[in-house]
């Protein structure tokens, strides 16, 4: 079986990227996308992709740091002066987070709208973080639209109606280790309603380690546990999950 981890944070892992990727390959995770969240880890994400053939990366600003957008916008434009950088496959992580509100809603809205427009300009998919803000997020996406490549709802934790609204807008739905948590019955029910053709997998490592390894730092090696849970949700063999989600990820990120 072959898997793709569509959302990792390699620069945040304590072990060397080489060791992490070696363990991942033994588990069948042959490609991954390391997702940048602020300007301070843009270069380390780019370097990880440059150093390893099976690593790709995105550039973006997380809603927690949305008040930094003015400076980040200039840096992002400079990076793209000569076109899309090699192995940069998306824009994000971006979005709304109305749970913590580390940045004001106004700053979050400005940063998200600008990044959506930037992604459309370069025809790149977007990686969306959304917490307690689905209606506001969908309203803004309807206003701005997505590129022809669409995007992905990272670490989805919404309801079946939230998922349908996201799919109608052109998003894929990504499931993390949360799907395996004992108290995630509602999420598993929502997952059952989502066509497998619109689903991808992620670790969000080093966060959200799946059962039965909660408490340990997460890494791509653990992705098959989330795949096994999704297989159980759909009543399918895990091989079918691996094949379809890998195909979906390859199409989404053009990798």
């Amino acid at each position: 079986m072959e898997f793709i981890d569509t959302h990792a944070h390699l620069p945040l892992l304590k072990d060397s990227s080489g060791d992490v990727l070696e363990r991942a390959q033994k588990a069948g995770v042959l490609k991954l996308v390391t997702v940048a969240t602020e300007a301070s880890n843009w270069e380390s994400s780019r370097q990880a992709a440059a150093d390893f053939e099976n690593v790709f990366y995105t550039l973006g600003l997380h809603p927690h740091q949305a008040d930094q957008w003015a400076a980040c916008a200039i840096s992002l434009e400079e990076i793209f002066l000569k076109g899309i950088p090699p192995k940069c496959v998306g824009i994000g992580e971006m979005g709304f987070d109305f749970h913590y509100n580390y940045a004001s809603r106004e700053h979050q809205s400005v940063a998200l709208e600008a990044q959506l427009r930037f992604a459309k300009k370069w025809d790149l998919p977007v990686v969306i973080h959304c917490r307690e803000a689905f209606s506001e997020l969908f309203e803004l996406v309807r206003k701005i639209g997505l590129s022809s490549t669409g995007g992905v709802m990272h670490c989805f934790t919404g309801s079946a109606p939230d998922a349908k609204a996201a799919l109608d807008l052109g998003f894929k739905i990504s499931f993390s280790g949360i799907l395996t948590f004992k108290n995630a019955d509602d999420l598993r029910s929502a997952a059952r309603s989502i066509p497998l053709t619109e689903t991808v997998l992620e670790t969000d490592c080093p966060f959200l380690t799946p059962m039965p390894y909660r408490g340990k730092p997460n890494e791509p090696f653990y992705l098959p546990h989330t795949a096994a849970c999704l297989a159980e949700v759909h009543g399918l063999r895990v091989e079918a999950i691996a094949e379809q989600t890998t195909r979906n990820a390859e199409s989404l990120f053009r990798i």
Side-chain angles (χ1 to χ4, degrees):
M1 292 184 291
E2 297 182 3
F3 299 95
I4 294 178
D5 185 350
T6 63
H7 195 112
H9 300 288
L10 281 183
L12 300 183
L13 295 172
K14 293 182 178 180
D15 285 0
S16 72
S17 294
D19 291 340
V20 168
L21 294 172
E22 183 178 354
R23 288 192 292 270
Q25 288 185 337
K26 290 179 179 178
V29 183
L30 302 187
K31 297 178 184 176
L32 66 83
V33 179
T34 187
V35 175
T37 56
E38 56 185 306
S40 64
N41 55 42
W42 287 0
E43 174 56 24
S44 55
S45 296
R46 185 205 66 79
Q47 190 60 56
D51 290 343
F52 300 98
E53 181 180 1
N54 60 335
V55 175
F56 304 83
Y57 74 105
T58 71
L59 295 174
L61 187 67
H62 194 284
H64 288 345
Q65 285 78 39
D67 56 359
Q68 302 173 15
W69 174 249
C72 286
I74 296 172
S75 299
L76 197 59
E77 290 285 356
E78 290 176 349
I79 291 171
F80 278 73
L81 276 177
K82 296 182 180 180
I84 300 174
K87 302 186 79 175
C88 179
V89 297
I91 303 298
E93 175 177 354
M94 65 176 83
F96 283 145
D97 193 313
F98 295 167
H99 178 78
Y100 289 108
N101 282 315
Y102 288 147
S104 71
R105 295 191 179 192
E106 180 181 0
H107 282 147
Q108 290 186 50
S109 183
V110 168
L112 176 56
E113 179 171 343
Q115 289 178 91
L116 287 170
R117 293 188 185 280
F118 191 86
K120 285 188 69 177
K121 175 182 177 180
W122 292 102
D123 196 28
L124 288 170
V126 293
V127 179
I128 297 292
H129 171 110
C130 184
R131 189 166 186 185
E132 297 179 14
F134 283 105
S135 61
E136 293 86 353
L137 174 78
F138 295 151
E139 181 180 357
L140 184 55
V141 172
R142 290 188 187 101
K143 171 186 172 184
I144 307 301
L146 300 176
S147 72
S148 66
T149 51
V152 58
M153 297 295 294
H154 139 69
C155 193
F156 182 76
T157 55
S159 64
D162 292 331
K164 184 180 185 306
L167 294 174
D168 288 345
L169 286 169
F171 288 105
K172 292 283 191 292
I173 306 296
S174 181
F175 290 107
S176 69
I178 293 176
L179 190 71
T180 72
F181 292 2
K182 292 180 180 178
N183 61 353
D185 289 338
D186 289 345
L187 181 59
R188 287 187 284 273
S189 178
R192 196 171 294 113
S193 74
I194 300 168
L196 193 56
T197 55
E198 307 302 324
T199 302
V200 294
L201 298 173
E202 65 170 276
T203 56
D204 198 22
C205 62
F207 314 108
L208 305 178
T209 311
M211 295 291 290
Y213 298 100
R214 289 192 70 181
K216 295 183 177 181
N218 200 8
E219 60 178 83
F221 174 81
Y222 293 123
L223 186 68
H225 293 280
T226 302
C229 181
L230 187 62
E232 184 175 348
V233 164
H234 283 285
L236 296 171
R237 292 171 57 86
V238 70
E239 289 83 357
I241 300 296
E243 180 180 357
Q244 186 64 61
T245 58
T246 295
R247 187 182 305 133
N248 298 342
E250 289 173 337
S251 174
L252 173 65
F253 290 113
R254 300 168 177 168
I255 56 178

